[in-house]
Amino acid sequence: MTAGQGVRDELYERLRTYEGRAAATEGLGKDRVNEPMIRHWCEAMGDAHPAYGGPDAVAPPTMLQAWTMGGLSGHTDRSGAYDELFGLLDGAGYTSVVATDCEQEYLRPLRPGDRITFDAVIEAVSERKTTKLGTGYFVTTRMDVRAQEELAGTHRFRILKYRPARPKPRPEPKPRPRLKTNPEPGTEATGTATETETATETGTETGTETGTGTGTGVGTETGTGRGTRAETGKGKGNALRSRPVINRDNAGFWEGVASHRLLIQRCTACDALRFPWLPGCNACGSPDWDTVEASGEGTVFSHVVMHHPSFPAFSEDGEGGPYAVGLIELAEGVRMVSNVIGVPCDKVRVGMPVRLEFLRTDPDLVLPVFRGSEG
């Protein structure tokens, strides 16, 4: 969506004057093309193509940008025009940035020993656009990469400089009902509320929630259906856990968690199980899948104990830690990261048996966690 027809965008008119101006000139790669960087890249990407090793090795084409990157110390060859362009956007309130896409074209292979030079130009600035992130301008730069002064490839990189959209106000959670009591002089009033729900489908599920004030709530819910699920929650004050990022690839997993089911993807072509959720099978590449429900049994494959920084929402006592984070190997063979609860964090051990539970951290969030057993 553009700024609207008939509306003059003076900032855009100023930004357009930067199109075609240099973003970097006579840039020099900090390292020649070399075998160690090629090997590290291939190991990280899982690419074992024989062309990238041996006496006649070439660099993977997608490493094109890697040879131009400045590292932590950066480059000194960036032009003043590039900084001016971003200064205009920052000054107008478009202070956030997100990379959107890149395009590469490969003209000749790069080989160990090649000396890399490059130039970059501000190729295009879009009209003002409104996206889900906010309103801003897309800026495209084109980099021409050379080896021994011969053009080896081009790299187009597009970003969005934007003003973040205002988040929609979240509704206040409904307070739990409390039974009023008469406090003693000098003390604060407390109350207790109990709520019980019963639901019947194919099986039977019964839940009980109990809360005690002030500022602290405890809830327990158990269900009977396929196995047993227990939901426990404890919080203090207004501490909330960060929200998971839910997208079209993993929405089904979080829908399962909300209904107290831990779902694992299964490829319908080769029957391989996978976790976390992915749009395709990493064993055979098939995009077709269904799910199986985890039994809830597992063991601690690895773990860490978090001491700092302090996050009250993550610890069982609400004081901020320490707390255990485990890599759990499920009975089905896949692994997932979650909290280990029910035992002191310094008693968590590799191989410890754990059992799945569902933790309601607040009225809007349920998470899978694992209860350990010292026995």
Side-chain angles (χ1 to χ4, degrees), residues 226-359:
R226 180 180 175 185
T228 301
R229 297 289 185 270
E231 181 175 309
T232 59
K234 188 178 284 190
K236 190 167 187 176
N238 294 321
L240 295 177
R241 290 205 183 197
S242 55
R243 270 36 199 169
V245 176
I246 300 177
N247 54 43
R248 63 183 180 181
D249 292 329
N250 65 13
F253 170 77
W254 290 107
E255 290 169 2
V257 169
S259 60
H260 297 178
R261 302 173 67 217
L262 185 64
L263 299 179
I264 303 169
Q265 278 184 310
R266 176 176 59 191
C267 176
T268 55
C270 70
D271 290 332
L273 300 180
R274 62 179 185 263
F275 191 89
W277 281 34
L278 296 169
C281 179
N282 50 15
C284 73
S286 172
D288 301 320
W289 54 273
D290 60 9
T291 61
V292 295
E293 184 178 359
S295 66
E297 303 294 338
T299 57
V300 176
F301 184 83
S302 181
H303 71 96
V304 296
V305 176
M306 299 296 296
H307 293 269
H308 183 81
S310 174
F311 290 114
F314 281 82
S315 62
E316 291 190 80
D317 59 9
E319 297 296 334
Y323 55 92
V325 179
L327 178 61
I328 308 301
E329 185 166 76
L330 301 179
E332 291 74 17
V334 298
R335 298 170 186 159
M336 66 178 294
V337 176
S338 184
N339 286 121
V340 179
I341 65 172
V343 294
C345 58
D346 59 352
K347 300 296 183 183
V348 177
R349 295 289 182 268
V350 171
M352 171 183 285
V354 292
R355 175 71 183 173
L356 172 68
E357 296 187 2
F358 290 94
L359 177 71

Side-chain angles (χ1 to χ4, degrees), residues 100-308:
T100 61
D101 61 287
C102 72
E103 304 170 9
Q104 292 185 338
E105 182 180 6
Y106 312 115
L107 303 177
R108 59 149 283 188
L110 296 177
R111 294 181 171 84
D114 282 343
R115 169 62 72 186
I116 300 300
T117 57
F118 58 91
D119 296 287
V121 63
I122 302 168
E123 190 172 63
V125 181
S126 76
E127 296 180 348
R128 187 166 68 238
K129 305 285 185 178
T130 298
T131 71
K132 192 171 183 180
L133 290 175
T135 299
Y137 299 84
F138 289 91
V139 179
T140 304
T141 56
R142 188 193 76 245
M143 180 179 291
D144 296 328
V145 181
R146 296 178 171 81
Q148 283 76 251
E149 304 303 322
E150 179 185 356
L151 188 62
T154 61
H155 174 80
R156 283 182 173 84
F157 192 68
R158 187 173 294 109
I159 64 167
L160 172 64
K161 282 284 285 181
Y162 66 99
R163 180 186 295 125
R166 292 184 178 180
K168 296 181 180 179
R170 296 183 60 184
E172 292 291 332
K174 296 180 179 180
R176 293 182 177 180
R178 295 186 180 278
L179 301 179
K180 296 182 179 180
T181 61
N182 295 322
E184 296 180 1
T187 64
E188 189 173 7
T190 62
T192 302
T194 302
E195 179 182 339
T196 303
E197 296 177 352
T198 304
T200 303
E201 296 178 340
T202 304
T204 302
E205 183 176 16
T206 304
T208 302
E209 289 190 10
T210 305
T212 302
T214 55
T216 302
V218 180
T220 302
E221 186 173 335
T222 59
T224 303
R226 180 180 175 185
T228 301
R229 297 289 185 270
E231 181 175 309
T232 59
K234 188 178 284 190
K236 190 167 187 176
N238 294 321
L240 295 177
R241 290 205 183 197
S242 55
R243 270 36 199 169
V245 176
I246 300 177
N247 54 43
R248 63 183 180 181
D249 292 329
N250 65 13
F253 170 77
W254 290 107
E255 290 169 2
V257 169
S259 60
H260 297 178
R261 302 173 67 217
L262 185 64
L263 299 179
I264 303 169
Q265 278 184 310
R266 176 176 59 191
C267 176
T268 55
C270 70
D271 290 332
L273 300 180
R274 62 179 185 263
F275 191 89
W277 281 34
L278 296 169
C281 179
N282 50 15
C284 73
S286 172
D288 301 320
W289 54 273
D290 60 9
T291 61
V292 295
E293 184 178 359
S295 66
E297 303 294 338
T299 57
V300 176
F301 184 83
S302 181
H303 71 96
V304 296
V305 176
M306 299 296 296
H307 293 269
H308 183 81

